[in-house]
Amino acid sequence: MTARLALALTALLAANLCAATAAHADDAPSVPPGTEATASAPVDVDPNDPDLKLPEGATLASPKVLDIKSVVEDQSGDERREDTNTSVKFALQAEVLFGKDSAKLGADAKARIAAIAEEIKKQNATNVRVFGFTDNLGSSAHGDVLSKQRANAVQDVLSQDLNDPDVTFEVRGYGEQFPISSNATEEGRKKNRRVEVSFPRSEG
């Protein structure tokens, strides 16, 4: 390599290094070319374009109101309330209503059921569902019987509190069917041992 060629390569390398150190990032964030915000519409729309109009005789579909669910659970997890546009559902854990493996209601249970009866009156509901559920411990047949007995006990108190011949009840015991939590832990099983009371919301 000649001295002149070596000198030329050294000068080129030095120029590239200077250019590299001079490069810097913009402080302001950049956007891809052509995506900058503008005040004008990106496309001109002709409001008289026939393709934008409904064909003759066609109608728009009926508006649909989406059902929104609101769930509120008390701090202890003993009681849970679900509200949708069309219904209200209370879920009471079995431990706050009954003794272990029992369908006999305690004093505190009756106060909780009375509060649900007040909500049923407020909603002017005449169709009430009372469903009992258990965890998966013990036999399935025993769970079916116990859950139905517990649902019946809650329905009896509701019926007395409401004292309304126009209210009809659907009472069922589902046993271990339809768990709302895992039966693998005691915490989950506790949630599954419950009685649910549901009824339609008033339209007013």
Side-chain angles (χ1 to χ4, degrees):
M1 182 182 297
T2 66
R4 183 178 291 174
L5 181 59
L7 187 59
L9 285 173
T10 304
L12 184 61
L13 184 59
N16 283 340
L17 284 173
C18 287
T21 56
H24 65 278
D26 291 334
D27 291 334
S30 61
V31 294
T35 62
E36 300 88 350
T38 66
S40 59
V43 177
D44 289 330
V45 177
D46 178 5
N48 298 314
D49 188 327
D51 290 336
L52 297 178
K53 296 182 179 179
L54 283 173
E56 192 172 335
T59 57
L60 291 172
S62 301
K64 183 177 181 182
V65 178
L66 296 177
D67 203 15
I68 299 171
K69 181 189 286 188
S70 161
V71 180
V72 178
E73 189 171 281
D74 67 6
Q75 253 186 331
S76 63
D78 292 343
E79 187 172 322
R80 174 186 173 99
R81 174 178 173 150
E82 293 181 10
D83 285 89
T84 70
N85 297 346
T86 57
S87 66
V88 179
K89 178 166 69 178
F90 288 90
L92 298 172
Q93 286 191 355
E95 277 79 354
V96 303
L97 301 174
F98 308 99
K100 185 178 172 72
D101 206 30
S102 167
K104 185 177 179 182
L105 288 164
D108 183 48
K110 293 183 179 180
R112 287 177 182 264
I113 295 168
I116 295 175
E118 286 304 311
E119 185 66 24
I120 293 171
K121 291 176 187 175
K122 180 179 166 186
Q123 298 296 339
N124 297 315
T126 54
N127 297 300
V128 179
R129 292 178 169 183
V130 185
F131 295 163
F133 304 87
T134 62
D135 58 27
N136 67 347
L137 298 181
S139 73
S140 176
H142 176 69
D144 291 345
V145 171
L146 181 62
S147 62
K148 180 67 175 356
Q149 289 173 338
R150 288 176 166 177
N152 282 335
V154 171
Q155 184 269 330
D156 284 343
V157 175
L158 275 176
S159 183
Q160 292 168 27
D161 289 342
L162 293 170
N163 193 24
D164 185 346
D166 291 332
V167 175
T168 58
F169 291 89
E170 180 183 353
V171 184
R172 295 188 182 179
Y174 285 104
E176 64 188 53
Q177 297 181 70
F178 309 111
I180 57 173
S181 191
S182 170
N183 276 307
T185 66
E186 176 53 26
E187 184 180 352
R189 290 190 294 271
K190 185 177 177 183
K191 286 182 179 291
N192 293 334
R193 298 190 293 266
R194 68 198 189 278
V195 175
E196 294 182 352
V197 180
S198 58
F199 44 91
R201 293 185 71 86
S202 62
E203 294 183 10

